[in-house]
């Protein structure tokens, strides 16, 4: 007797990974429903209305899912988000994930219950998974970060840097508690995106038998395939080493020791480009050398300009579930200086440099090494990793193996 093909229901808030999970399942005819908070078809009357009021929405849709069965609550959550920005409704924002989870769980009442698998990212999986247990439906939890211990790292950084005078702003890690533990309990498997996240979750008490490492999916820009880099034979004030930091300027990303190193390198031929939203007090970025450029909140399509311009990317993160900027950099054959606390994309002295410790001293040493030996950059660039292993098809096969395993 022929076995019924497993169908998936994917629950997702936002456009994480450019909707990679539902896209790869839909491509293989295994996506039964995709449920999301906001979904705006570009040519719809709703899209025209949002355009009239200059409300951004372009990222909340993907053409590869145009013929998929998508359930969304766009009108409700757009209004919800608008009200949340008004001071009197500020408490609403902290309840958003809970409300989303309840809305999502309600959809299960009207869906098939047999031969399906549910996928949801953490923070909104609790009510979905709890209801799924009644119907004996297998659930897979997508863990988007390194869990509660990353929150502990974040809070310690704030304490060390500000001595308690500044509190962590919008600290998502405060959400970790009993509901997240129950999400993990309900899940058949918990997908983490790096060995770093796996180790952090085990240390937090999560059953390691449930943990599976599946990296993020990534599709490099077509024009990056034949891109070649030219490095100078010597760095000077006229042509300094150009160092890129791509991501939010916040303590957990290692911005504090990086800023220290930048100040200590002011007399060396090096130029810095810090590209991302500023999430630290303004005084921390004062008195920086003129050769340090802070570019706040660049549209995604314009980040390519900085990957092409710079000679090396630096990622001194204290904790990252994956850090997809590493793949973006490697797509443009850009060498990387990275910490050990993220996905291991960098192989030391092959396509970049791994920092033993996240300190201004270690960052400064790595940068000075590249200033003194520019040929290393050429070698690192030529040894950029093959990104095929992160394609939708490759990641799909890993999820297929996961659900087919007993």
């Amino acid at each position: 007797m022929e076995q019924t093909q497993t169908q998936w229901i994917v629950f997702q808030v936002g456009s994480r990974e450019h909707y990679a999970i539902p896209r790869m399942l839909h491509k293989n005819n295994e996506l039964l429903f995709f449920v999301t908070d906001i979904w705006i078809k570009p040519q719809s009357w709703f899209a025209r209305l949002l355009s009239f009021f200059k409300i951004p929405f372009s990222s909340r849709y993907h053409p590869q899912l145009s013929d998929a069965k998508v359930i969304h609550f766009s009108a409700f959550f757009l209004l919800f988000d608008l009200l949340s920005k008004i001071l009197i409704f500020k408490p609403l924002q902290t309840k958003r994930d809970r409300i989303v989870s309840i809305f999502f769980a309600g959809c299960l009442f009207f869906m098939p219950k047999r031969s399906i698998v549910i996928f949801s990212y953490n923070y909104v999986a609790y009510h979905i998974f709890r209801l799924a247990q009644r119907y004996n439906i297998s659930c897979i939890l997508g863990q988007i970060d390194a869990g509660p211990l990353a929150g502990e790292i974040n809070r310690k950084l704030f304490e060390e840097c500000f001595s308690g005078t500044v509190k962590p702003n919008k600290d998502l890690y405060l959400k970790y508690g009993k509901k997240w533990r129950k999400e993990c309990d309900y899940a058949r498997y918990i997908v983490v995106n790096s060995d770093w996240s796996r180790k952090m979750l085990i240390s937090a008490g999560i059953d390691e038998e449930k943990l599976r490492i599946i990296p993020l999916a990534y599709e490099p820009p077509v024009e990056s395939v034949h891109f070649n880099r030219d490095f100078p034979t010597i760095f000077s004030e006229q042509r300094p080493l150009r160092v890129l930091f791509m991501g939010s300027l916040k303590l957990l990303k290692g911005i504090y020791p990086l800023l220290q190193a930048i100040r200590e390198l002011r007399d060396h031929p090096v130029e810095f480009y810090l590209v991302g939203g500023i999430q630290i007090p303004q005084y921390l970025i004062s008195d920086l050398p003129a050769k340090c450029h802070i570019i706040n909140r660049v549209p995604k399509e314009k980040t390519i300009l900085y990957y092409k311009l710079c000679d090396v990317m630096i990622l001194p993160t204290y904790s990252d579930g994956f850090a997809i900027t590493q793949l973006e950099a490697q797509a443009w054959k850009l060498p990387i200086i990275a910490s050990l606390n993220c996905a291991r994309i960098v192989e030391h002295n092959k396509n970049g440099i791994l920092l033993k410790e996240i300190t201004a001293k270690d960052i400064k040493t790595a940068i000075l090494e590249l200033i003194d030996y520019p040929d290393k950059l050429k070698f690192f660039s030529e040894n950029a990793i093959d990104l095929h292993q992160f394609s939708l098809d490759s990641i799909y096969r890993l999820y297929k193996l996961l659900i087919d395993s007993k």
Side-chain angles (χ1 to χ4, degrees), residues 174-185:
L174 291 174
K175 294 181 180 180
Y176 282 107
K178 291 182 180 179
K179 285 190 175 180
W180 174 73
R181 299 277 174 182
K182 291 300 291 184
E183 288 178 346
C184 294
D185 289 343

Side-chain angles (χ1 to χ4, degrees), residues 4-9 11 32-33 71 104-118 127-139:
T4 304
Q5 184 184 35
T6 299
Q7 296 286 291
W8 295 63
I9 302 173
F11 296 87
L32 185 60
F33 288 102
I71 299 173
F104 283 4
C107 296
L108 277 182
F109 286 111
F110 310 100
M111 294 177 175
K113 309 295 190 300
R114 305 183 75 174
S115 298
I116 66 169
V117 174
I118 287 175
H127 290 93
I128 304 166
F129 286 6
R130 185 176 66 170
L131 183 59
Q133 296 304 297
R134 299 184 188 177
Y135 303 108
N136 198 30
I137 298 172
S138 291
C139 298

